[in-house]
Coordinates of all heavy atoms in Angstrom, one line a residue:
N103 N 0.8 -1.2 0.0 CA 0.0 0.0 0.0 C 0.8 1.3 0.0 O 0.6 2.2 -0.7 CB -1.0 0.0 1.2 CG -2.0 -1.0 1.1 OD1 -2.2 -1.6 0.0 ND2 -2.8 -1.2 2.2
I104 N 1.9 1.3 0.8 CA 2.8 2.4 0.9 C 3.4 2.7 -0.5 O 3.5 3.9 -0.9 CB 3.9 2.2 1.9 CG1 3.3 2.3 3.3 CG2 5.0 3.3 1.8 CD1 4.2 1.8 4.4
L105 N 3.8 1.7 -1.2 CA 4.5 1.8 -2.5 C 3.5 2.1 -3.6 O 3.9 2.8 -4.6 CB 5.4 0.6 -2.8 CG 6.5 0.4 -1.9 CD1 7.2 -0.9 -2.2 CD2 7.5 1.5 -2.0
H106 N 2.3 1.6 -3.6 CA 1.4 1.5 -4.8 C 0.0 2.2 -4.6 O -0.5 2.6 -5.6 CB 1.3 0.1 -5.3 CG 2.6 -0.5 -5.6 ND1 3.4 -0.2 -6.7 CD2 3.3 -1.5 -5.0 CE1 4.5 -0.9 -6.6 NE2 4.4 -1.7 -5.6
Q107 N -0.5 2.2 -3.5 CA -1.9 2.6 -3.3 C -2.0 4.1 -3.4 O -1.2 4.8 -2.8 CB -2.4 2.2 -1.9 CG -3.8 2.6 -1.6 CD -4.3 2.2 -0.3 OE1 -3.5 1.7 0.5 NE2 -5.5 2.5 0.1
A108 N -3.0 4.6 -4.1 CA -3.3 6.1 -4.2 C -3.8 6.5 -2.8 O -4.5 5.8 -2.1 CB -4.3 6.3 -5.2
I109 N -3.3 7.7 -2.4 CA -3.8 8.2 -1.1 C -5.0 9.0 -1.3 O -5.1 9.8 -2.2 CB -2.6 9.1 -0.4 CG1 -1.4 8.2 -0.3 CG2 -3.1 9.7 0.8 CD1 -0.2 9.0 0.2
Y110 N -6.0 8.7 -0.5 CA -7.3 9.4 -0.6 C -7.3 10.6 0.4 O -6.9 10.6 1.5 CB -8.4 8.5 -0.1 CG -9.7 9.2 0.2 CD1 -10.5 9.6 -0.9 CD2 -10.3 9.3 1.4 CE1 -11.8 10.3 -0.7 CE2 -11.5 9.9 1.7 CZ -12.2 10.4 0.6 OH -13.4 11.0 0.8
Y111 N -7.6 11.8 -0.2 CA -7.6 13.1 0.5 C -9.1 13.4 0.6 O -9.7 13.9 -0.4 CB -6.8 14.1 -0.2 CG -5.3 13.7 -0.2 CD1 -4.8 13.2 -1.3 CD2 -4.5 13.9 0.9 CE1 -3.4 12.8 -1.3 CE2 -3.2 13.6 0.9 CZ -2.7 13.0 -0.2 OH -1.3 12.7 -0.3
P112 N -9.7 13.3 1.8 CA -11.1 13.6 2.0 C -11.4 15.1 1.6 O -10.6 16.0 1.8 CB -11.4 13.4 3.4 CG -10.3 12.5 3.9 CD -9.1 12.9 3.1
S113 N -12.7 15.3 1.1 CA -13.1 16.7 0.7 C -13.2 17.6 1.9 O -13.2 18.8 1.7 CB -14.4 16.6 0.0 OG -15.4 16.0 0.8
F114 N -13.2 17.2 3.1 CA -13.3 18.1 4.3 C -11.9 18.7 4.6 O -11.9 19.7 5.4 CB -13.9 17.4 5.5 CG -13.1 16.3 6.1 CD1 -11.9 16.5 6.8 CD2 -13.5 15.0 5.8 CE1 -11.2 15.4 7.3 CE2 -12.8 13.9 6.4 CZ -11.7 14.1 7.1
L115 N -10.9 18.2 4.0 CA -9.6 18.8 4.2 C -9.5 20.2 3.4 O -10.0 20.2 2.3 CB -8.4 17.9 3.7 CG -8.2 16.7 4.5 CD1 -7.1 15.8 3.8 CD2 -7.7 17.0 6.0
S116 N -8.9 21.2 4.0 CA -8.7 22.4 3.3 C -7.7 22.2 2.1 O -6.9 21.3 2.2 CB -8.1 23.4 4.2 OG -6.8 23.2 4.6
P117 N -7.7 23.0 1.1 CA -6.8 22.9 0.1 C -5.3 23.0 0.6 O -4.5 22.3 0.1 CB -7.1 24.1 -0.8 CG -8.5 24.4 -0.6 CD -8.7 24.1 0.8
E118 N -5.1 23.8 1.6 CA -3.8 23.9 2.2 C -3.4 22.6 2.9 O -2.2 22.2 2.8 CB -3.7 25.1 3.2 CG -3.9 26.4 2.6 CD -5.4 26.8 2.4 OE1 -6.3 26.1 2.9 OE2 -5.7 27.9 1.8
A119 N -4.3 22.0 3.6 CA -4.0 20.7 4.3 C -3.7 19.6 3.3 O -2.7 18.9 3.4 CB -5.1 20.3 5.2
T120 N -4.5 19.6 2.2 CA -4.3 18.6 1.2 C -2.9 18.8 0.5 O -2.1 17.9 0.3 CB -5.4 18.6 0.1 OG1 -6.6 18.4 0.7 CG2 -5.2 17.6 -1.0
S121 N -2.6 20.1 0.3 CA -1.3 20.4 -0.4 C -0.1 20.0 0.4 O 0.8 19.4 -0.1 CB -1.3 21.9 -0.7 OG 0.0 22.3 -1.2
I122 N -0.1 20.2 1.7 CA 1.0 19.9 2.5 C 1.1 18.4 2.7 O 2.2 17.9 2.7 CB 1.0 20.7 3.9 CG1 2.4 20.6 4.5 CG2 0.0 20.0 4.9 CD1 2.6 21.6 5.7
L123 N 0.0 17.7 2.8 CA 0.0 16.3 2.9 C 0.5 15.6 1.7 O 1.4 14.7 1.7 CB -1.4 15.7 3.3 CG -1.9 16.0 4.7 CD1 -3.3 15.6 4.8 CD2 -1.0 15.4 5.7
E124 N 0.1 16.1 0.5 CA 0.6 15.6 -0.8 C 2.1 15.9 -0.9 O 2.8 15.0 -1.4 CB -0.1 16.3 -1.9 CG -1.5 15.9 -2.1 CD -2.3 16.6 -3.2 OE1 -1.9 17.8 -3.5 OE2 -3.1 16.1 -3.8
G125 N 2.6 17.0 -0.4 CA 4.0 17.3 -0.5 C 4.8 16.4 0.4 O 5.9 15.9 0.0
L126 N 4.3 16.2 1.6 CA 5.1 15.4 2.6 C 5.0 13.9 2.2 O 5.9 13.1 2.5 CB 4.5 15.6 4.0 CG 4.9 16.9 4.6 CD1 4.1 17.2 5.9 CD2 6.4 17.1 4.9
L127 N 3.9 13.4 1.6 CA 3.7 12.0 1.3 C 4.1 11.7 -0.1 O 3.9 10.6 -0.6 CB 2.3 11.6 1.6 CG 1.9 11.7 3.1 CD1 0.4 11.4 3.2 CD2 2.7 10.7 3.9
E128 N 4.9 12.6 -0.7 CA 5.4 12.4 -2.1 C 6.3 11.2 -2.0 O 7.2 11.1 -1.1 CB 6.1 13.6 -2.6 CG 7.0 13.4 -3.8 CD 6.3 12.9 -5.0 OE1 5.3 13.5 -5.3 OE2 6.7 11.9 -5.6
R129 N 6.1 10.1 -2.9 CA 6.9 8.9 -2.8 C 8.3 9.1 -3.2 O 9.2 8.4 -2.8 CB 6.2 7.9 -3.6 CG 4.9 7.3 -2.9 CD 4.3 6.2 -3.6 NE 3.3 5.5 -2.8 CZ 2.0 5.8 -2.9 NH1 1.6 6.7 -3.8 NH2 1.1 5.2 -2.2
D130 N 8.5 10.1 -4.1 CA 9.9 10.3 -4.6 C 10.6 11.3 -3.7 O 10.2 12.5 -3.6 CB 9.8 11.0 -6.0 CG 11.2 11.3 -6.6 OD1 12.2 11.2 -5.9 OD2 11.3 11.6 -7.8
P131 N 11.5 10.8 -2.9 CA 12.2 11.7 -1.9 C 12.8 13.0 -2.5 O 12.9 14.0 -1.8 CB 13.3 10.8 -1.3 CG 12.9 9.4 -1.6 CD 12.1 9.5 -2.9
S132 N 13.3 12.9 -3.7 CA 13.8 14.2 -4.3 C 12.8 15.2 -4.6 O 13.1 16.4 -4.8 CB 14.6 13.8 -5.6 OG 13.7 13.4 -6.6
R133 N 11.5 14.8 -4.6 CA 10.4 15.8 -4.9 C 9.6 16.1 -3.6 O 8.7 16.9 -3.7 CB 9.6 15.3 -6.0 CG 10.3 15.2 -7.3 CD 9.5 14.7 -8.5 NE 8.0 14.8 -8.2 CZ 7.1 14.1 -8.9 NH1 7.5 13.3 -9.9 NH2 5.8 14.2 -8.6
R134 N 10.0 15.4 -2.5 CA 9.2 15.6 -1.3 C 9.4 17.0 -0.7 O 10.5 17.5 -0.6 CB 9.6 14.5 -0.3 CG 8.8 14.3 0.9 CD 9.1 13.2 1.7 NE 8.9 12.0 0.9 CZ 9.6 10.9 0.9 NH1 10.6 10.8 1.7 NH2 9.3 9.8 0.2
L135 N 8.3 17.5 -0.1 CA 8.3 18.8 0.6 C 9.3 18.7 1.7 O 9.4 17.7 2.5 CB 7.0 19.1 1.2 CG 6.7 20.5 1.7 CD1 6.9 21.5 0.7 CD2 5.4 20.6 2.4

């Protein structure tokens, strides 16, 4: 799951919360926030 599953971002998250989570959970370390 960590390597392949798409991460679900619920609609109740603010755009800022979704953005920071996407940045921190980027699988490619060279592109990670």
Side-chain angles (χ1 to χ4, degrees):
N103 290 351
I104 290 169
L105 293 173
H106 303 289
Q107 179 184 3
I109 299 171
Y110 168 70
Y111 296 97
S113 61
F114 62 77
L115 290 175
S116 69
E118 296 83 6
T120 300
S121 173
I122 199 164
L123 291 173
E124 288 174 333
L126 290 168
L127 295 173
E128 166 61 48
R129 287 183 171 97
D130 179 352
S132 68
R133 296 183 13 200
R134 190 170 298 144
L135 189 64

